[in-house]
Amino acid sequence: MGEEARLATVLNVNDDAANRYLVNRILEMSGYHVLEAATGMAALLMAEEHRPDVIVLDVKLPDISGYEVCARLRSNAATAAIAVMHTSATFVTPDKKVQGLEGGADAYLTQPYEPSELIATVRSLLRLRHAEQQARLRTDQLIEMDRRKDEFLAMLAHELRNPLAAIMTAIGILERKAPSDTKEARMHGIIQRQTHHLARLVDDLLDVSRITRGKVELRQEPVSLTATFQQVLAILRPRVESRGLKLEVHLPRAPLWLEGDATRLEQVFTNLVDNAAKYTDEGSVTVELFQEGVDGTAQAVLRVKDTGIGISPEKLPAMFELFAQADTSLERSRGGLGIGLTLVRTLVRMHGGTVEATSGGPGQGSEFVVRLPLLPADRAPLSTGANLLDARRARRILLVEDNSDARQSMRDLLELWGHQVAVAPDGVRGVALALEHAPDLALVDIGLPGMDGFQVARTLRERVGQGLRLVALSGYGDPESYQQALKAGFDVHLTKPVRPADLDRVLSNL
């Protein structure tokens, strides 16, 4: 007699008293704790109250059938996991057995049966139930581990973005002054490229968690693909050319408008061009953006072609899968996390587009083609508008940031742009300075000690009103943080590290 027999409880449901007694004795002699019921309704009540491990359920009952009892057990969350064994002396045809098993029963015995057959079936159901319990427990553990992993990644991204924000802002200041010699210029370029690369890795690392949970969201608005791609190329060109590669670019003169998320589209373009450069040792990377089709079916086509290491036929179908990489050598000289192309496919699909990869094989280079639906002509903006960077004017700005390096570097950058800047290291002093100096705009870090950025925003909205423009600075870039910032009263949410060009664009637009 095993441990499971001494601990297991069996509910025996049968309206025939003699039959019920006989089954009770067989089960009790095998070491099981036995409960009994004579009707279907009584069985349902006892099942919910006592939660037996197994129910031996006769099909023919005086009130409701065993089929109905089983269906109700399965529909009740409290009893759905209980193992059910149908028994019957009359409903013994194959179609009746199929009906019982299809209706949720785990086993079906035809009476009369041998005691050993009954006990063997009960033990089998107990083993099955134990395995299911272990699987559910493991699933719950995995869900909890996944939740903790997501929290860790979010915290890691936040902690990494704070120092990156200070470095990136300092780079913006260094760029204002011409380097004294070629070596200094080269060092500036290295710092800039590697900081942008590190920032993108942090974003990709966090995005993979969002993708697996289906948490990636788009902030959609009319976007000019031509202008967006020009901004990306301004950053990527030095990075590509520093590898000794030639970057050939063919962009349309007219803007190509679509409904989308500019930041996410930049991420798509950056990953594709960066990927092409990373896997190309010599030669060129060619980028082409153009329109295909006519109004109503028009789409933008982006081609990114390289002369790099190529992709073998067996790896090509899996290139967009998570953690798939063309370079699987031990030295991992190409770097990367194997996340970028998965992000590309996910974001392109979310924009209603497609992406495909082709290659002639190893050493033959690769080509990635993205197709995105364009806005009809009657919905496209008439023009791209004036250059926002030219719209800059001096503002009174309050900066609330607890990281001293980030606070100082951003203050220096804003003052270089001609703004008057007051700074505060915490929320309480930030609110006091806002009430004292009446700034045009406040840049507020979310993760402040004591009074956090959300509380600062709500307080300023109550005491200053809607005239003050509020910009949230946060190491958390998930959609929940964005929505929470808007609810708290912020006008804009910027994820650290904030590129100087993006900050300037936001200030000018506000």
Side-chain angles (χ1 to χ4, degrees):
M1 188 185 307
E3 182 68 20
E4 75 280 358
R6 290 195 298 271
L7 298 178
T9 297
V10 180
L11 172 59
N12 180 24
V13 186
N14 199 308
D15 64 329
D16 184 290
N19 192 303
R20 191 169 66 248
Y21 174 78
L22 178 60
V23 171
N24 286 354
R25 290 295 298 155
I26 293 172
L27 293 169
E28 288 170 349
M29 290 178 65
S30 295
Y32 297 105
H33 176 233
V34 181
L35 305 172
E36 61 178 280
T39 66
M41 294 305 298
L44 291 171
L45 292 173
M46 294 192 70
E48 187 162 6
E49 180 180 356
H50 297 283
R51 309 287 176 86
D53 300 286
V54 178
I55 299 178
V56 179
L57 178 61
D58 190 42
V59 173
K60 188 177 181 180
L61 295 171
D63 49 354
I64 57 177
S65 72
Y67 300 136
E68 177 65 20
V69 172
C70 187
R72 295 191 187 185
L73 289 170
R74 293 292 179 247
S75 64
N76 184 347
T79 58
I82 299 174
V84 175
M85 175 172 57
H86 276 321
T87 64
S88 180
T90 53
F91 297 92
V92 296
T93 57
D95 62 311
K96 295 299 182 182
K97 293 181 180 180
V98 169
Q99 181 182 350
L101 294 172
E102 291 287 353
D106 300 289
Y108 201 113
L109 288 184
T110 300
Q111 297 176 354
Y113 45 74
E114 293 295 325
S116 59
E117 185 180 8
L118 172 65
I119 297 303
T121 305
V122 169
R123 286 177 176 167
S124 175
L125 294 179
L126 286 172
R127 287 194 297 271
L128 177 63
R129 185 174 185 273
H130 178 72
E132 290 175 346
Q133 288 175 333
Q134 292 300 309
R136 282 195 296 271
L137 178 62
R138 181 59 178 162
T139 300
D140 291 341
Q141 291 173 339
L142 289 173
I143 291 173
E144 176 62 18
M145 290 170 62
D146 189 59
R147 184 189 64 79
R148 292 183 181 181
K149 177 261 298 176
D150 291 335
E151 290 180 352
F152 170 76
L153 287 177
M155 183 60 68
L156 176 65
H158 178 268
E159 293 302 315
L160 289 174
R161 280 171 173 156
N162 274 321
L164 280 172
I167 296 171
M168 194 167 287
T169 306
I171 292 171
I173 296 173
L174 290 175
E175 290 175 343
R176 306 276 299 188
K177 178 184 176 182
S180 58
D181 54 41
T182 56
K183 181 180 290 187
E184 184 178 337
R186 190 164 60 250
M187 293 302 105
H188 284 185
I190 290 172
I191 295 171
Q192 182 187 56
R193 289 192 299 274
Q194 295 303 320
T195 302
H196 281 292
H197 180 60
L198 182 56
R200 190 171 65 80
L201 287 178
V202 171
D203 286 336
D204 285 355
L205 183 64
L206 193 58
D207 275 337
V208 70
S209 175
R210 297 178 193 150
I211 283 178
T212 56
R213 292 180 296 149
K215 293 288 188 179
V216 175
E217 294 183 7
L218 301 181
R219 304 170 194 173
Q220 299 207 15
E221 60 184 355
V223 176
S224 168
L225 286 179
T226 309
T228 300
F229 200 60
Q230 285 173 336
Q231 294 171 7
V232 172
L233 286 175
I235 297 173
L236 293 182
R237 184 178 290 278
R239 193 182 306 172
V240 175
E241 293 178 347
S242 70
R243 294 174 177 266
L245 304 175
K246 181 181 179 182
L247 180 61
E248 298 181 9
V249 179
H250 306 281
L251 300 181
R253 298 192 177 208
L256 301 181
W257 292 98
L258 61 68
E259 189 80 14
D261 186 322
T263 300
R264 290 303 188 178
L265 289 170
E266 284 187 19
Q267 198 171 2
V268 169
F269 299 154
T270 300
N271 272 304
L272 288 177
V273 177
D274 230 9
N275 195 69
K278 181 170 64 175
Y279 289 100
T280 302
D281 295 323
E282 60 182 12
S284 63
V285 175
T286 303
V287 177
E288 187 178 9
L289 180 67
F290 59 92
Q291 177 176 333
E292 251 182 19
V294 296
D295 193 29
T297 61
Q299 58 183 357
V301 180
L302 170 69
R303 295 183 183 274
V304 180
K305 189 174 183 179
D306 63 66
T307 58
I309 66 172
I311 307 170
S312 59
E314 65 272 13
K315 290 182 180 178
L316 196 57
M319 283 310 298
F320 294 99
E321 299 301 323
L322 197 58
F323 305 126
Q325 293 191 334
D327 179 16
T328 56
S329 59
L330 289 177
E331 66 269 19
R332 292 280 293 109
S333 58
R334 309 284 172 178
L337 301 173
I339 295 172
L341 290 181
T342 305
L343 288 172
V344 167
R345 181 178 63 178
T346 299
L347 295 175
V348 167
R349 286 179 175 177
M350 291 179 71
H351 282 87
T354 62
V355 59
E356 59 182 353
T358 57
S359 175
Q364 301 298 310
S366 308
E367 182 179 52
F368 289 83
V369 180
V370 174
R371 288 181 169 84
L372 295 165
L374 292 173
L375 283 173
D378 58 348
R379 292 183 55 199
L382 296 178
S383 67
T384 58
N387 187 339
L388 292 178
L389 295 181
D390 294 337
R392 183 195 301 155
R393 66 177 177 82
R395 300 178 183 274
R396 295 189 308 278
I397 296 177
L398 168 64
L399 173 62
V400 188
E401 167 66 72
D402 65 317
N403 184 292
S404 58
D405 287 339
R407 185 172 65 247
Q408 186 60 54
S409 59
M410 184 166 286
R411 177 179 189 169
D412 290 343
L413 179 63
L414 291 170
E415 288 179 343
L416 275 173
W417 288 345
H419 302 295
Q420 300 176 26
V421 185
V423 297
D426 57 60
V428 174
R429 276 178 277 189
V431 170
L433 281 175
L435 297 176
E436 180 181 349
H437 294 287
D440 302 310
L441 178 143
L443 299 166
V444 183
D445 181 41
I446 295 298
L448 296 170
M451 187 181 195
D452 64 32
F454 298 126
Q455 294 172 304
V456 170
R458 285 190 287 266
T459 302
L460 291 179
R461 283 287 178 245
E462 291 173 1
R463 303 184 64 178
V464 178
Q466 299 300 317
L468 173 63
R469 307 310 254 169
L470 294 177
V471 177
L473 304 176
S474 175
Y476 297 104
D478 57 283
E480 292 86 351
S481 297
Y482 172 76
Q483 293 298 332
Q484 193 175 359
L486 296 186
K487 289 180 181 178
F490 285 103
D491 299 291
V492 177
H493 176 280
L494 294 178
T495 303
K496 296 179 180 179
V498 181
R499 291 183 298 181
D502 291 339
L503 177 61
D504 198 357
R505 192 159 50 242
V506 167
L507 294 179
S508 300
N509 195 31
L510 286 174

